[in-house]
Amino acid sequence: MSAPIEFSATVSGTIRDGVLIVTLDSPPVNATSAEVRRGLKAMLEFAESSAETTAIVLTGAGKTFIGGADIKEFGKPAEEPTLPAVIEAIEAFGKPVVAALNGAALGGGLEVALACHIRIASAVAQVGLPEVKLGIVPGAGGTQRLPRLTGIAVALELIASGRIVKASEARALGIVDDVVEGDLTEAAIAVAKAMVGKPRRRTGELSVAALDPAETERASAKILAKARGQKAPGEAVRLVLSAARPLAEGLADERATFLALRDSREAAALRHVFFAEREAGKVAGLEGVEPRAVATIGICGLGLMGSGIAVAALSAGYRVIGLDQTADAAEKGRERIIGLMEKNLASGRLDQASFDAQKARLSVTANDADLSPCDLVIEAVFDDLAVKTDLFRRLDKVLRPDAILATNTSYLNPDEIAAVTQHPERVLGLHFFSPAHVMRLLEVVRCAKTAPDVLATGLAVAKKLRKLAIVTGVTEGFIGNSIFSAYRREAEFLLEDGAMPEEIDRALEDYGFPMGLFAVYDMAGLEIAWARRKRQAATRDPSDRYVEIADRLCKAGRFGQKAGRGWYVYPEGKRVVDPDVTAIIETARAKKGITPRSFSQAEILERLLAAMAAEGQRLLAEGIAARASDIDLVMINGYGFPAHKGGPMFAAG
Ligand code: 3H9
């Protein structure tokens, strides 16, 4: 083996048996920064002139092959050489180039691999072109080379969704040529040696059959329907569908599209979301704090929320002990949990062995003392202070002193719940969103006395549950429901001022929300919020503007979809405007002497977004949210705010 050869600070190689083994080492994810690109260019120049080098193996240091283009460089002036130029040089290279995928090959990373003359992968490798999730299309050949390996239909699905596939599936789809169980570098060297002097299979030179028009139509309609106004998926579809043309033409089109999208507001928003997610995990005051060990989780209250939490905990590998008020209720809870798991089994998300293992880790009881082995107990009982404080007093007696107690309250003050325990420092809030086994957001509530390692444990458990944890301080409704309340209040003001529910919903849906606010109310049911408003009536400041239209709807028995009517009516399941609702709104306006005026979509949006952003500012000023980007993530992941708009704080900026 030769002495190490440095091509740049991040790209180096050694020669063994005539094979130049090149390693990219640019933590954290070996992104193709300018430094890496310069190194690859220098490496090719060296390999070309080196008589000793007969072939190249390209691999990555650490657990990633190449994580993609360096997203931090986007928005800065371009530096030579460009990635497409490096990739073109790899594909055209006279000596065989083997990609040895030691880990994730994503975006520009997969594009590098696609230009290599053969791709072998370790079993842990993953490949994908996730660019659409960043509001862009692949910009270094992905839309043109991938279809040449997989056919247009598969490439369309992968590129338009950004789906990442495991090595075994990549092999089945023809993206990689082999999956290696043993030593990847050794296998790659053997492959490289065998390729010397043989004809090369250059991806760019392969032909690809155009898709038949019916299939094209069907596939693109499906993708565009999901895109909800985002540009990148549509552009990805256009580029992949036209991959049958000459490569150079396709590459030029792709590059121009990539550059235009990269500089768009949509891409900036999605980049903001990407970095916001990584930032959210960094919580002040927790540096070096070790979380407590958690193996067994108790869940109190096995209704819809508790069962969802149980399913999430079981699938993350925890033992779960469910508690409900009676043996009968506990058994019903167990059935509900198993029912949810069975759905996952039927859909293929869960295999039989995992199902059996999870079932074996679940037990239920109606006896508080049976929770004594728990390291963490999460309560998901009725959102009532007396019910929750009674439960916490009881739990405080049966749990080990180092066990953690979490409340899933949405609107109560967790400090008041913590105050009834002997050890308030072991109490925190874990506010799940329903259905808890599906929704990714988890608000982790730092109460006044929560100990740092208790908070750290909440975050560690959230990570294991594969949730996006956002730390929030205590305020009514925490981050999400505070902003949601402000948004809802503004929507009701708009309603009273003259906008109709369907106009407000259309404005929101055209903006990218999956469903308008009033349609969401109908889906969720209007009665719970009504009950809360009735409870709050006595303490409401009479000088506050109060819109009673929703109350009038409830009084008329319009509780939403379940009742067949709410803000809309639902003949044959389709949402339709109801003149009776219009009449209720008009009566309410008249009673207050309001002369309705018309609102443009832009005005509606502006008012709603401004209300959210103003409430967000309050949360920041009061230290409830640590950073604006945390607020954005809550609204995107819990309330349907379109990710490609970056969240309410980003949108306001
Ligand atoms: C692209 O390739 C365009 C091309 O088609 C065209 C070019 C011409 N750049 O996620 P983690 C940072 S677009 C810069 O926690 P993991 C991240 O911010 C790109 N930085 O690690 C974090 O920093 P910090 C297409 C990046 O092990 C740290 O790395 N590629 C990049 O859980 C660790 O990140 C993608 O979209 C990047 N590309 O997961 C893939 N990626 O520690 C994006 C990460 O300061 N990346 N960072 O907070 C991922 O999906 C995951 O990071 C990966 C590792 C699976 C690679």
Side-chain angles (χ1 to χ4, degrees), residues 28-29 63 67 69-71 108 111 131 134 138-139 255 275 278 282:
V29 297
K63 61 185 178 73
D70 188 340
I71 306 170
E111 291 173 304
E131 281 87 343
L134 292 168
R255 184 74 182 161
F275 289 116
R278 271 116 196 121
K282 297 167 191 159

Side-chain angles (χ1 to χ4, degrees), residues 274-335:
F274 178 85
F275 289 116
E277 289 193 4
R278 271 116 196 121
E279 217 33 45
K282 297 167 191 159
V283 177
L286 293 192
E287 302 82 6
V289 175
E290 275 298 308
R292 298 184 188 175
V294 175
T296 302
I297 298 183
I299 295 170
C300 305
L302 301 177
L304 216 60
M305 181 58 97
S307 314
I309 300 172
V311 170
L314 289 166
S315 63
Y318 291 108
R319 255 181 300 131
V320 169
I321 306 174
L323 176 87
D324 217 314
Q325 277 172 318
T326 61
D328 193 38
E331 181 49 32
K332 287 221 169 66
R334 202 183 76 88
E335 283 163 17

